[in-house]
Structures are given as structure tokens and as C-alpha cells.
Amino acid sequence: MKPREIVPDVYYVGAPDFDRRLFDALIPLPDGTSYNSYLVRGRDKTALIESVEPEKINVLEGYLKDVPKVDYLISNHTEQDHSGGIPWVLGRYPGIELLSSEPAKPMLVDHLGLSAARIRTVADGERLDLGGKTLHFIYTPWVHWPETMSTYLEEDQILFSCDWFGAHIAQTGLFVDGADCILAEAKRYYAEIMMPFRKIVQKNLDKIKDLEIRLIAPSHGPIYRDPQSIIRAYRAWADDRPANSVVIPWVTMHGSTALMVERLAAALVERGVTVYPFNMATADIGQLAMALVDAATIVVAAPTVHVGPHPMAYNAVVLANALRPKVRFASIIGSYGWGGKMVDMVKAAMPNLKVELLPTVIAKGLPKTADFEALDALAGTIAAKHMELGLFSG
Ligand code: FEO
């Protein structure tokens, strides 16, 4: 296949992966993904930006079949879905120079077994002139790893952003006109990959705010022809202000916790609060992560199993703790048969959540009238807290 032109002398040479359903053995990929690689031809030199996941190296090989010389390989990010094909590229083009950020160099050595002598580092802000095509390297740490940089092609105003602004979606078309068309996929990606680094996302957004950007070409998903649409979405997702919503990851064994979730959800809705309940026995954790992007409150609802929380509810807490959403309040509800430490264990599992802990509601066996009244009171407390933050004002 011939390299696919994006603008004159800039080409797509990446690979969609329609069949992949799981990333990092954790993240559901309902729409597959893609590993985007780009070829930039200057008058004098040619650069390849990123390689691809090793399983798709045959696609890159096909695109590069009639490209006899590439002078530079730019590695924006060391995770193997982009860097894994680097050894193949180095073998295909023995004279190629591998460029990375300074922090990426030891990581490329560690992850790929490359010789450090094979890698030249570029500084933040450094430029590389290919002859009428100037690559400007911008360190953008923590989107997704600490070493990550973005590459801006000045003449064509294209930002090769690697993971950030990406979306796990496989398609044959190269472009999307506005983020609205893939907002769910982009938000899912942000939630799972970028949310833990929300504060640094804000700084990186500030760092690129004065760039004239005509296209954003990420390393997953389509190229944005309306880059401001996805930048606006990122600003909103990373913003400190939460929404007037509550996420309830829950599990039930014999129905008691389910009754409590139902009552709490109804009481919250009555008070004008949006509720996102997720039965963790069947939930898509990507959707849970997406709901956590905006929520002001998380309520964990779990029965007690062998002293502790049901493992599936516990998993949701561990995941939320890892994703570090902007939630401001938390509570725990659930039930037990004869005793246990469910509440203490859930509280201990969320040290990264900077939340005010609200009263808990724990029923012995089936919830009774007093338990339901306590759930109504909890809903009232949550609504009042949201009101204090001004979240009812739209
Ligand atoms: Fe697409 Fe962090 O790798």
C-alpha cells in the first residue's frame, strides 16, 4: 500500500486494529484501536514519527516498501504500542537516527533492549529542519508517561501528539471533522489514560495554547481537522470543577445492597442530582471511568464477603483510586451478615481521592426503615454539598 497523503509530503503509514478488544490486559476496546505512524518528507531529509505495535509491523512494512531511505525516527513515547516496532525500523534503515526526549532514552533502552549509543536525544523546544519541513519537539510529560513529547510540524501546523487527544477507535478513514463525532471514544481514552495526570494535562494544554494548530494527528484514532474541538473537550475534562453527578459502583449478592442503591439513586434524582450506577458484576469499566471524569461524588456500594468488601466493588475502588478523578465527596453503603471490616477496607483503598468522607450507611441483612431513612439523609447531604459548590447552576 502507498503511504496515504495527509497534506503534501506528510503521509499516514499506521495501522488500524479492528480486532483488538483489550489494552494493557485491562482496558476494554469496544471499537478497536489504531497505531498511527507518520512519514514527513522534507527537501533534504525524511522522518518517520512513531512506529507501530509489533503485531502490525507488516502494515508499516507494506507502506515503507517503496521508501528507500528514512533519515530520522522520532519516538514521542516509549510505550510499546508505539515503540515496539522500532527495532524493525532500525533494521530496515541501518543509517536511520533514532530521536527521543532525554527522559525517554533510558526507557527505550530498558523496554526495547536498544543500545544507548543508538539514540540521540532532543531538548524541549529543539527544532530539526528536514528542508522546508521543520519539526519542533515539545516535551509534554505524563501524557501518557513521564518521557512523552509531542512533535509539531511548523510549516503545516500539524501537532503529532501521540497518546493525548487520541481515541481507541479503528477506522479506515484518516480524518474526523470535529471531536463531537468521536467524543465518547476520546473521553473513554482520556478517562483511562490521561485522568490520573489531570493537573499536568492542564499544564500541557497551556504549553501548546499559542501554537497555530491546523491538524492534530494523534497516535490512536483519527486526525482532527477541527483541533480546537478536542482541545476544548480536554479543557473541560481536566477542569477542576466537577458536575452535579454521583457515580455508584455496586455489587449485590442476595439483593440487600441492590435495594439500598435503588433507594439512594431515587432519592438523589428527586433532589436533582444525576446518578450513574454501575453493577460491577457486568459493567464496562471504561464507562465507569468516563462517568468518573466529571462526577462530584462517588458512593461505593458493597456487600461484605469474608469480612471485607465484595471483590468486584473493591476492584472499582482500586480503579478509581488509580484514575484519581476530580471527585470531592465519597460515601460507602452496603450490607453484612454477621460482621466485618468492609467500610475500613474501602476507606483504606482510596488514599489518592482527595475527598470529604460523608456518612456511611451499612445494613445488617435486609435494609430496614432506619436504613432507608439514612439513605434519604445521605442523598440530602450529597445534594447540599453539591449545592454549596454551586453545581446546580448548570
Ligand atoms: Fe498509546 Fe501510552 O501508549
Side-chain angles (χ1 to χ4, degrees):
M1 192 142 63
K2 286 189 168 59
R4 300 174 69 186
E5 185 176 271
I6 299 168
V7 298
D9 294 320
V10 180
Y11 304 89
Y12 181 86
V13 291
D17 189 343
F18 289 92
D19 297 324
R20 190 159 180 180
R21 285 292 170 266
L22 203 57
F23 200 88
D24 291 344
L26 173 69
I27 296 168
L29 302 180
D31 305 302
T33 190
S34 68
Y35 319 106
N36 299 342
S37 178
Y38 300 97
L39 193 69
V40 181
R41 280 201 175 110
R43 274 192 315 275
D44 310 317
K45 304 282 187 183
T46 297
L48 181 67
I49 299 176
E50 306 294 5
S51 66
V52 295
E53 171 78 42
E55 277 183 15
K56 292 291 178 185
I57 204 72
N58 61 312
V59 178
L60 182 62
E61 184 176 7
Y63 276 126
L64 297 178
K65 185 165 58 71
D66 297 321
V67 180
K69 187 163 186 276
V70 178
D71 302 280
Y72 303 105
L73 172 56
I74 315 299
S75 176
N76 279 332
H77 175 30
T78 310
E79 192 166 11
Q80 292 89 332
D81 49 324
H82 312 290
S83 71
I86 286 177
W88 178 85
V89 176
L90 298 183
R92 168 80 173 83
Y93 300 105
I96 199 169
E97 201 165 5
L98 173 58
L99 306 185
S100 76
S101 72
E102 288 169 24
K105 183 171 179 172
M107 295 177 75
L108 286 165
V109 171
D110 286 341
H111 287 282
L112 300 177
L114 299 178
S115 159
R118 200 73 178 76
I119 306 164
R120 173 158 78 88
T121 61
V122 294
D124 187 17
E126 188 172 329
R127 287 172 169 79
L128 176 70
D129 184 5
L130 305 176
K133 299 279 188 198
T134 307
L135 300 179
H136 175 185
F137 305 110
I138 303 168
Y139 282 20
T140 46
W142 295 105
V143 290
H144 159 215
W145 283 0
E147 90 306 359
T148 306
M149 66 179 188
S150 301
T151 297
Y152 177 64
L153 175 53
E154 293 186 334
E155 290 79 1
D156 297 294
Q157 300 177 334
I158 302 174
L159 183 71
F160 298 97
S161 60
C162 200
D163 273 351
W164 68 321
F165 306 125
H168 279 313
I169 181 168
Q171 61 177 56
T172 57
L174 290 185
F175 299 100
V176 62
D177 284 320
D180 283 357
C181 305
I182 60 158
L183 206 57
E185 291 88 349
K187 187 173 188 180
R188 174 185 284 266
Y189 190 83
Y190 169 88
E192 293 161 336
I193 304 293
M194 303 293 159
M195 186 158 60
F197 315 112
R198 186 173 63 84
K199 290 287 186 186
I200 308 177
V201 167
Q202 291 173 358
K203 286 185 185 160
N204 284 326
L205 288 169
D206 288 344
K207 192 164 181 179
I208 64 162
K209 76 176 174 3
D210 294 328
L211 287 181
E212 295 289 335
I213 301 174
R214 184 173 146 214
L215 298 172
I216 289 181
S219 290
H220 297 290
I223 298 164
Y224 297 90
R225 274 199 282 231
D226 173 12
Q228 291 308 320
S229 62
I230 188 66
I231 290 173
R232 272 195 305 276
Y234 260 61
R235 282 231 175 261
W237 297 333
D239 190 74
D240 292 335
R241 180 185 162 88
N244 180 22
S245 61
V246 176
V247 172
I248 310 179
W250 66 277
V251 183
T252 199
M253 292 165 64
H254 300 291
S256 295
T257 303
L259 286 171
M260 298 175 75
V261 169
E262 201 174 296
R263 178 65 170 249
L264 178 64
L268 285 165
V269 170
E270 266 178 20
R271 289 162 175 78
V273 179
T274 302
V275 182
Y276 297 101
F278 293 94
N279 181 345
M280 296 310 297
T282 53
D284 170 347
I285 60 167
Q287 290 189 347
L288 169 66
M290 287 164 71
L292 285 169
V293 167
D294 308 302
T297 299
I298 181 171
V299 177
V300 180
T304 302
V305 179
H306 301 317
V307 180
H310 190 290
M312 286 178 171
Y314 200 56
N315 277 349
V317 179
V318 171
L319 181 68
N321 185 64
L323 294 178
R324 284 180 276 168
K326 64 180 89 161
V327 286
R328 306 283 281 273
F329 310 102
S331 177
I332 302 156
I333 66 173
S335 59
Y336 67 99
W338 42 263
K341 297 182 178 170
M342 189 268 279
V343 168
D344 291 342
M345 289 177 68
V346 170
K347 279 183 188 169
M350 51 170 79
N352 293 339
L353 301 186
K354 305 303 175 204
V355 290
E356 176 184 344
L357 278 169
L358 303 179
T360 60
V361 183
I362 307 299
K364 184 172 186 187
L366 274 173
K368 322 286 186 306
T369 302
D371 300 311
F372 288 125
E373 288 172 357
L375 290 166
D376 292 342
L378 175 60
T381 302
I382 291 170
K385 294 286 181 186
H386 288 199
M387 185 74 76
E388 279 171 27
L389 287 184
L391 305 184
F392 279 84
S393 55

